[in-house]
Amino acid sequence: MTWSEMQPLLEQACTETLIMVGWSTLIAVVGGLPLGVLLVLTDKGGLLQNTVVNKVIGQVVNVGRSMPFIILMVALMNFTRWVTGTTIGSEAAIVPLAIGGIPFFARLVETAVREVDHGLVEAVQAMGGNTWTIVRKVLVPEALPSLIASTTTTVIALIGYSAMAGTVGGGGLGDLAVRYGYQRFETGLMWITVAILAVVISLIQFAGDYAARALHSRGGRSGPSPRLRLLKAKEPAAADVSKVA
């Protein structure tokens, strides 16, 4: 197969993979972020401690993470057909990709949020902040570098899932590699596909690492942390004491 024959196939496959991974990542982030935060808030000692809710959410996330993606695609075929009207193609593959990505990202969010200094939470509580304020002003902003890294990991995982989706007619680079590289013995096209995936994953990892380091160097947020604001509020009193002494 010549390059002129490969080029349109590769362009179409790259576009399909981009659509699948892009939409599934967006849905995974939107669905996984609140789940991960809830796992922390409802855990023992959390702001919304609730053992039953925590166990239910945790079990749902564990089941979703433990199921192999190929089996998940087969199990969700009826649901996928109900949502998209078909079980074949890149649009249909978005459904299992997103559902598989939500619990994966939720666990990463949970780990990231747990790393936030509890002293910041106590400082905001001391200033009268409620749970929503703490989540919006402390937990998510302070965990942002780790959340960026978690998103990067999720994107890379979904690229791998999308390649598996190609083996059952999901489209994209995985489907191209199977149909031409394996079934038609077009070894050159298969290795080009592998090279494209390797380059894309490397670029995504580099961009994610760079963004996470940049945010971490700035403290993970644009403004001063609640702890600094609290300390600044106490500085005048400390200065008055020193003058009296």
Side-chain angles (χ1 to χ4, degrees), residues 204-221:
I204 292 173
Q205 187 67 61
F206 174 80
D209 291 344
Y210 179 81
R213 285 195 300 268
L215 287 171
H216 184 73
S217 64
R218 294 190 303 175
R221 53 193 299 129

Side-chain angles (χ1 to χ4, degrees), residues 71-157:
I71 297 177
L72 181 65
M73 287 192 67
V74 175
L76 292 174
M77 276 188 174
N78 290 332
F79 179 71
T80 301
R81 185 181 291 110
W82 177 73
V83 173
T84 63
T86 182
T87 58
I88 299 175
S90 57
E91 292 183 0
I94 292 173
V95 176
L97 282 172
I99 293 177
I102 288 174
F104 182 87
F105 185 69
R107 280 301 182 192
L108 296 177
V109 170
E110 180 190 11
T111 302
V113 173
R114 287 190 188 279
E115 294 175 353
V116 176
D117 187 359
H118 192 66
L120 296 175
V121 176
E122 294 176 347
V124 176
Q125 284 180 315
M127 291 186 287
N130 56 24
T131 301
W132 171 243
T133 300
I134 292 172
V135 171
R136 188 167 56 92
K137 297 291 187 179
V138 179
L139 295 181
V140 173
E142 293 295 332
L144 194 55
S146 296
L147 292 176
I148 295 296
S150 300
T151 303
T152 303
T153 302
T154 303
V155 172
I156 293 173

